[in-house]
Amino acid sequence: INRKIQSHIKRFFDLFTSSFLLFLSLPILLTCAILIFLEDKGPIFYSQLRTGLKGKVFRIYKLRTMKLNAESSGPKWATKKDKRITKVGNILRKSRIDEIPQLWNVIKNDMSLIGPRPERPEIENNLINDIPEFRLRHNVIPGLSGWAQVNYFYASTLSETEMKLSFDLFYIKNYSLLLDLI
């Protein structure tokens, strides 16, 4: 199957699966929303700008897992025992439930279910300066999950990011519906 047909099949699969999963997860989202609000009376959702296909910037949505004003001193990578993460947020992050609202980004076609995770423009600009090949990730639509997420742990250093990038580049080079299913 050529790449154009594969991309149409992938889009149909993304749209159908994301809509179905979002509908199924509504009770979970409602429960999480209540818990987030009860913990600190702050907003339920959090959004960030991310860089996607062809360098287009879009807004990503998540359940809020950090304390209010957690990034008042500027954007930073989250670390393993990050003190900015709330108690409820810690559970949501470990279970990845905080990512469920990104299914809306998949429906809007800002993201796919599978592809390189989109990065924040502020962080990405630094990474492109240090790792020029990092911008090759813009050749495919970013994903909710991807080859790098499945095969490598959370990167919080430049060397870990370079290693994770190698998985993203493998995915981009070998993109197929079969690889997405794997």
Side-chain angles (χ1 to χ4, degrees):
I1 301 176
N2 75 27
R3 246 181 136 106
K4 187 171 179 105
I5 292 171
Q6 284 190 64
S7 68
H8 287 304
I9 294 169
K10 179 179 174 101
R11 177 66 187 139
F12 172 78
F13 181 76
D14 281 348
L15 198 52
F16 175 79
T17 305
S18 296
S19 299
F20 181 70
L21 290 173
L22 197 55
F23 176 75
L24 278 182
S25 65
L26 285 175
I28 295 168
L29 287 172
L30 182 59
T31 303
C32 292
I34 292 167
L35 293 173
I36 291 167
F37 183 77
L38 289 175
E39 185 168 17
D40 64 9
K41 309 291 187 265
I44 309 315
F45 294 100
Y46 177 72
S47 70
Q48 291 176 328
L49 294 177
R50 297 288 177 104
T51 306
L53 183 65
K54 298 180 181 170
K56 177 187 163 209
V57 175
F58 66 97
R59 188 164 296 280
I60 198 170
Y61 300 96
K62 294 180 165 195
L63 291 172
R64 185 173 58 83
T65 59
M66 289 194 174
K67 296 174 182 169
L68 297 173
N69 301 317
E71 294 194 326
S72 56
S73 61
K76 295 179 200 141
W77 268 331
T79 57
K80 250 186 182 177
K81 296 192 182 209
D82 202 318
K83 295 190 185 312
R84 300 173 298 163
I85 299 172
T86 64
K87 290 175 188 167
V88 172
N90 192 36
I91 295 165
L92 296 178
R93 281 177 174 237
K94 283 181 181 173
S95 62
R96 302 280 189 210
I97 290 173
D98 65 316
E99 309 280 351
I100 291 174
Q102 290 174 50
L103 292 169
W104 180 247
N105 290 103
V106 176
I107 292 167
K108 287 177 43 182
N109 205 26
D110 290 329
M111 294 174 66
S112 177
L113 288 172
I114 309 296
R117 284 291 295 156
E119 189 55 80
R120 297 172 70 176
E122 310 88 5
I123 293 173
E124 184 175 58
N125 289 336
N126 293 332
L127 291 172
I128 288 172
N129 287 333
D130 294 329
I131 314 167
E133 299 84 14
F134 198 82
R135 74 169 29 107
L136 293 173
R137 299 163 82 253
H138 297 164
N139 291 336
V140 296
I141 192 163
L144 186 63
S145 184
W147 194 247
Q149 278 65 41
V150 171
N151 293 292
Y152 199 74
F153 55 86
Y154 190 82
S156 59
T157 67
L158 188 60
S159 62
E160 290 171 354
T161 301
E162 285 178 307
M163 186 57 156
K164 202 164 187 175
L165 175 63
S166 69
F167 286 94
D168 285 334
L169 296 178
F170 173 86
Y171 175 80
I172 292 166
K173 182 179 180 189
N174 298 290
Y175 162 77
S176 71
L177 296 172
L178 179 60
L179 187 58
D180 279 9
L181 290 173
I182 291 171

